[in-house]
Amino acid sequence: MHVTSSQFSDRAKDAISNEQLQAGLFIFGKIFPLLRDATASQLPEFEALRDNARDIKVHTLQNLGTYLEAFEARVTQAGGRVHWARTALEANSIVERLCKEAGAKNIIKSKSMVTEELELNDHLIGKGYDVVETDLGEYIIQLRHEKPFHIVGPALHLTAAQVSDTFYEAHQKHGRTQKVDDKVKLVEEARIVLRERFKNADVGITGANFLVAETGQIALITNEGNADLSATLPKKHIVVTGIEKVVPTLDDMAVLLRILARSATGQETSNYVSLYSGPRRERDADGPAEFDVVLVDNGRTDMLGTPVEDMLRCIRCGACLNSCPVFTTVGGQTYGSVYSGPMGAVWTPALASVSSAAKLPNASTFCGKCEDVCPVRIPLPSMMRHWREKEFEAHLTPSGQRWGLGVWAWLGQRPSLYRAATNLAGIGLRLIARPRRGAPVASWLPFIGKGWTQSRDLAVPKEPTFLSQYKEGRRR
């Protein structure tokens, strides 16, 4: 997975100064959490379902091999094939081989974060295949050569005017020479162009929200219906999915379904919930003649038994992104990874490396809101803290920060010196930050305090201090 997370700080500055993006993020950060809370409050058993969902995922991960083998057996029994891919390279090579077997030229895809992670589109296009995304948001960012802005809404950061410009440039070769600005007309135009691609597709590639071990079925949960067209119209259906998506039974999947849409978009359920098992049967009127499932590891088994194993419980709802004060300030593309927000801050170092994604676990206030809203109760802050510790152990933390933390830790073990140092620092800050004749002596700090005061006011410390209040409280 190619990541550019080292540029997080520079991109964050650009995002904060982008007034259009900030206006969109403000609305986005308010509406989705409100919708989630409203639908959750209408379901009295919502918190109990979260506990049940967590337990299902924990049990599945503890018996992952057993359930994956059971899933493979059921798929084979139904006439499909299962392929195992240890790495992104293997997964892409398998899909390429399957497309070649089908004599394919035109490929349609539905939204799939795993294929984004594998960079499957780039691989297939590089081999000469014509690949088009069919989810509207994914289609737009494919035309713009961008990464997804949000795990659920990949193009939420764009205005109708920007989409209009993109379509006008891209659709002229399809005979759409008139520029369209109206949102409804833009959707109609995309539908007309994509419909031709559906009709001419040789292979349809989808992801899977869940894999059901007891039946060998895959579940697709969408709002647009394009995934169902991708799965049923072409003569070959290829499913590319992570191994952590398996659940033991249909009943278990039903539990996860009840919290997925509520957590993601505040819906009671998605518009389309479809289950597929194997290729077309003799009695079926239509459907794909071939059904292949590519199970992708790509670093997931390395997470088992580690402090970040619980991340494999993730059902990709995006609730942690919607509630994160950092994500709703800088947006998804600032992260430089297909996975953004709190879940991306844990996934990206696990799948790429700590050195390439060290800034992401640090992009958190540790307010704990992400864990509060996670439908499967993933302890995201503690896992981000784990990656910060790994960053520190690998000496990737800036030297100023390391020295500062070292001095703080040294003082913390010497209470008298700590109190003396904090008292002196408080006196010094009051001298330079308290206004004189309407203006403070200084409005920023040098050295290790420079980064803090670049984007914040240099506040005058309040009195009395916490320690003095604490002592006073003990005397009472």
Side-chain angles (χ1 to χ4, degrees), residues 386-465:
H386 165 76
W387 287 127
R388 289 188 187 186
E389 291 168 357
K390 289 297 179 185
E391 177 197 11
F392 194 84
E393 290 172 9
H395 295 269
L396 298 170
T397 313
S399 56
Q401 187 178 342
R402 293 179 65 83
W403 274 98
L405 288 171
V407 170
W408 190 29
W410 186 82
L411 285 171
Q413 297 172 53
R414 294 162 178 81
S416 299
L417 275 176
Y418 184 86
R419 281 192 290 274
T422 53
N423 285 336
L424 280 174
I427 293 169
L429 282 173
R430 286 183 199 99
L431 286 173
I432 62 174
R434 182 168 288 157
R436 303 276 194 283
R437 297 177 183 174
V441 176
S443 58
W444 54 273
L445 292 174
F447 307 120
I448 60 173
K450 185 178 178 181
W452 179 264
T453 53
Q454 272 181 336
S455 56
R456 300 172 180 85
D457 294 331
L458 181 57
V460 180
K462 301 294 183 185
E463 294 181 285
T465 64

Side-chain angles (χ1 to χ4, degrees), residues 36-37 50 263 317 319-320 323 368-376:
R36 180 260 181 201
D37 292 346
R50 291 177 67 194
S263 301
C317 67
C320 61
S323 299
K369 188 66 177 173
C370 51
E371 184 174 355
D372 288 345
V373 299
C374 176
V376 287

Side-chain angles (χ1 to χ4, degrees), residues 228-277:
D228 295 297
L229 292 175
S230 301
T232 54
L233 286 182
K235 59 187 178 183
K236 188 181 192 68
H237 178 195
I238 301 174
V239 182
V240 184
T241 183
I243 55 175
E244 79 281 10
K245 298 292 184 68
V246 69
V247 294
T249 66
L250 280 173
D251 287 342
D252 293 327
M253 189 193 77
V255 172
L256 293 158
L257 270 181
R258 296 187 72 193
I259 57 173
L260 175 59
R262 286 180 169 86
S263 301
T265 51
Q267 297 169 276
E268 293 183 358
T269 184
S270 299
N271 292 340
Y272 301 91
V273 178
S274 304
L275 291 165
Y276 294 95
S277 54

